[in-house]
Amino acid sequence: MSSDLAGHARSWLAQDPDPDTRAELEKLLESGDGDALRERFGSRLEFGTAGLRGELGAGPNRMNRVTVMRAAAGLARVLGPGKHVVIGYDARHKSDAFARDTAAVLTGAGLRASVLPGPLPTPVLAFAVRHLGADAGVTVTASHNPPRDNGYKVYWGDGSQIVPPVDAEISAAIDATGPVSELPLGSPGDPSWNELDDGVVAAYLKAVTALPIGGARELRVAYTPLHGVGGDTLARAFVAAGFDAPATVEAQAEPDPDFPTVAFPNPEEPGAMDLALELAERVGADLILANDPDADRCAVGVPLPGGGYRMLTGDEVGALLGEHVIRQTSGDDRLVATTIVSSSLLGKIAAEYGVRYAETLTGFKWIMKAGEGLLFGYEEALGYSVGSDLGLPVHDKDGIGAALTVAGIAARAKLEGRGLLDLLDDLARRHGLHATSQLSFRVADLSLITGAMARLRATPPARLGGREVETADDLSLGAGGLPPTDGVRYHLAGGARVVVRPSGTEPKLKCYLEVVVPVTGEVSAARARAVEDLDALKADLSEALGL
């Protein structure tokens, strides 16, 4: 173990207020475990547009109280004294402590802090920023990451996540922060430290229950919050909107930072929805709903005609919600938006109704910047923001508002003797069957991803899945007026599309595939053809990538 590494660790130890991470670090120093220290001190968590996210533990490459206090100090420096910040948190390990450390640093720096009244969904925080007229917001959450992780997400005064250059300004201010033990700290009871009550949650519920849900209410719903913080808020929203409270998976109903019943607390992961599917069978549910642990995403499952259930894709739910919002609102300036990796179907729905449509880079921080008049936005990763003629109550993805609106759509369909699958078939008959899928490559060596992207740029494939590549866009050049991002996009004959991009949070190369199959007979035949076409695309793309 180098003396520099040990010195860095001891300097960190001297400022660390947390007995847990102090004990961890003292043990590593005593044992001389250089490898473990290098993991924690050889690099640091980078503050970007997603804020911070990482494994809990001691050192600058971990999430801990020092890292959080430095982030709060950077935010305070960028905002300046007198500004108002709302702070929320989920139920993960250390989330409450990180939230209160943030309030202490902000108030100590001369800012005002309002802390939400307990572990609550991320969309409540996003709503509260605008509701309270704050200058910024912070939520402590790692969304659907593993139990060992936590994170720190920053919102600006418009209630949406920060985008460049604000992230770089905060990062530079963090770098300029000295030892946190020298920071002036406020405390609860200070005039600038406000502990919010349930009134802010009630205001959020009033806003989301005013969404264009429709008038039908008879529906049996099976629901899981996946051990997260969405359960109580969703149940209150359903009852306030006039629905029966959903039947909830008992083993996953209460917040639990260890997520004991799932390998990975993400409704998209295999096995995560097993208990919800079992509950749906027992109660004869008309609809399955799930939130991820911070309840900003919503998963939807539907009964199959021959028995059983299947989960809808994010693109399928996005199409259903998009058409519903368009049909339930009015005005010439309405805008709907999705990302470049989501299905192109929303654009065709928008054209059918004469509504403006926009595509953005991936991430809700970009969707919320799509333009004036935005009433609906979604991304294929189960994120949706639903609005009305009054606008968007939440300028971020909102798993509670989306769940309510999906329930309203399903209840109306049930009243007519139909289901959500019937509505999807209607869309397929009008616009063609739009089928999407993903192909991901996880690597141990990031140079493999760099090499694969370089090959795609140097020699783009002429054909994929038996279809001619009609256009190839290098997204790093800012194709189509979008900000530059690392990725390539291919438009193929017949309306198919492929987007390839490195993941921003994991050592993965992610490929987003779409095919469009005309419906001339039964929709089921088009679905079978789409599966074949997607498989052919995956095979050719795998060969082109060389991974």
Side-chain angles (χ1 to χ4, degrees):
M1 179 174 62
S2 71
S3 58
D4 286 350
L5 189 63
H8 194 181
R10 290 192 180 94
S11 295
W12 188 276
L13 184 62
Q15 62 176 319
D16 191 349
D18 190 331
D20 295 333
T21 45
R22 286 180 59 84
E24 173 191 340
L25 197 47
E26 287 169 347
K27 183 178 179 181
L28 293 176
L29 284 166
E30 290 170 6
S31 67
D33 190 339
D35 289 340
L37 286 172
R38 268 185 291 276
E39 285 181 8
R40 290 158 175 78
F41 290 90
S43 60
R44 69 178 179 87
L45 296 179
E46 295 292 336
F47 187 95
T49 54
L52 295 165
R53 191 174 294 184
E55 186 176 346
L56 291 162
N61 198 35
R62 295 287 190 269
M63 284 296 299
N64 50 64
R65 292 180 64 187
V66 176
T67 297
V68 164
M69 293 172 77
R70 287 174 57 82
L75 176 60
R77 188 185 297 256
V78 170
L79 286 170
K83 296 299 176 67
H84 180 200
V85 182
V86 187
I87 303 165
Y89 57 99
D90 65 11
R92 284 178 177 265
H93 293 294
K94 302 285 185 180
S95 285
D96 56 346
F98 293 168
R100 299 200 174 278
D101 282 335
T102 298
V105 171
L106 293 175
T107 54
L111 288 79
R112 294 185 295 129
S114 294
V115 183
L116 292 185
L120 285 164
T122 291
V124 175
L125 179 279
F127 168 83
V129 172
R130 294 175 64 238
H131 176 66
L132 297 174
D135 300 288
V138 169
T139 189
V140 181
T141 180
S143 188
H144 52 261
N145 275 39
R148 64 180 181 273
D149 290 356
N150 213 326
Y152 196 85
K153 189 183 294 186
V154 177
Y155 291 76
W156 223 230
D158 62 354
S160 64
Q161 298 174 47
I162 58 170
V163 296
V166 174
D167 57 335
E169 294 171 5
I170 296 173
S171 183
I174 293 171
D175 291 342
T177 298
V180 300
S181 54
E182 297 176 5
L183 293 172
L185 301 178
S187 59
D190 289 350
S192 56
W193 182 316
N194 181 27
E195 298 280 351
L196 296 169
D197 59 22
D198 190 63
V200 69
V201 183
Y204 166 79
L205 292 171
K206 181 179 179 181
V208 296
T209 53
L211 290 172
I213 300 168
R217 291 293 182 270
E218 186 176 337
L219 196 72
R220 289 188 300 275
V221 177
Y223 168 72
T224 177
L226 286 180
H227 300 293
V229 296
D232 180 68
T233 305
L234 182 133
R236 289 177 64 182
F238 266 64
V239 172
F243 290 99
D244 289 338
T248 302
V249 175
E250 186 175 349
Q252 298 172 335
E254 295 302 318
D256 189 329
D258 294 318
F259 307 107
T261 68
V262 290
F264 204 93
N266 179 351
E268 293 184 289
E269 290 292 322
M273 294 299 298
D274 286 356
L275 293 181
L277 289 163
E278 291 174 11
L279 175 63
E281 292 279 7
R282 288 201 307 272
V283 302
D286 303 306
L287 185 71
I288 301 173
L289 295 170
N291 291 131
D292 66 338
D294 70 329
D296 62 353
R297 289 174 170 84
C298 176
V300 179
V302 295
L304 293 168
Y309 293 81
R310 85 162 172 93
M311 302 305 296
L312 300 183
T313 68
D315 285 317
E316 289 174 322
V317 177
L320 291 171
L321 283 170
E323 180 175 49
H324 176 79
V325 171
I326 291 171
R327 293 181 65 176
Q328 295 292 318
T329 57
S330 60
D332 296 332
D333 63 341
R334 289 174 295 163
L335 172 68
V336 296
T338 189
T339 71
I340 57 172
V341 303
S342 302
S343 172
S344 60
L345 178 56
L346 181 62
K348 295 175 183 176
I349 295 170
E352 177 186 4
Y353 290 94
V355 171
R356 293 182 299 131
Y357 168 74
E359 285 186 1
T360 74
L361 296 183
T362 55
F364 252 83
K365 59 184 177 288
W366 298 114
I367 292 174
M368 289 299 106
K369 301 294 189 288
E372 294 294 323
L374 183 65
L375 290 184
F376 174 71
Y378 94 92
E379 60 183 359
E380 46 74 40
L382 309 186
Y384 320 94
S385 184
V386 179
S388 68
D389 289 330
L390 300 176
L392 292 166
V394 178
H395 284 194
D396 195 22
K397 52 187 176 290
D398 177 4
I400 308 294
L404 268 182
T405 312
V406 169
I409 298 170
R412 176 67 182 178
K414 180 181 179 181
L415 193 64
E416 297 171 348
R418 311 182 79 210
L420 296 186
L421 293 179
D422 297 307
L423 303 186
L424 288 170
D425 285 353
D426 291 346
L427 287 171
R429 293 185 187 97
R430 299 203 313 269
H431 302 293
L433 179 72
H434 290 62
T436 57
S437 187
Q438 281 194 37
L439 185 65
S440 295
F441 300 91
R442 183 179 290 274
V443 299
D445 182 358
L446 288 175
S447 68
L448 295 174
I449 291 179
T450 304
M453 294 300 296
R455 284 192 297 276
L456 288 180
R457 289 188 169 101
T459 55
R463 296 180 68 82
L464 287 171
R467 299 168 183 254
E468 180 184 355
V469 177
E470 296 180 336
T471 61
D473 301 324
D474 183 349
L475 300 177
S476 68
L477 303 178
L482 295 170
T485 189
D486 189 7
V488 295
R489 176 175 59 189
Y490 303 122
H491 290 286
L492 284 62
R497 186 218 61 207
V498 172
V499 178
V500 183
R501 59 181 281 269
S503 169
T505 56
E506 300 175 274
K508 273 185 178 181
L509 189 66
K510 304 181 79 171
C511 311
Y512 304 84
L513 320 175
E514 180 178 34
V515 296
V516 182
V517 179
V519 177
T520 55
E522 292 295 324
V523 177
S524 57
R527 291 192 189 281
R529 169 67 187 277
V531 171
E532 295 175 0
D533 288 355
L534 287 169
D535 286 344
L537 270 183
K538 289 178 182 179
D540 284 3
L541 190 57
S542 296
E543 184 176 347
L545 289 168
L547 293 176

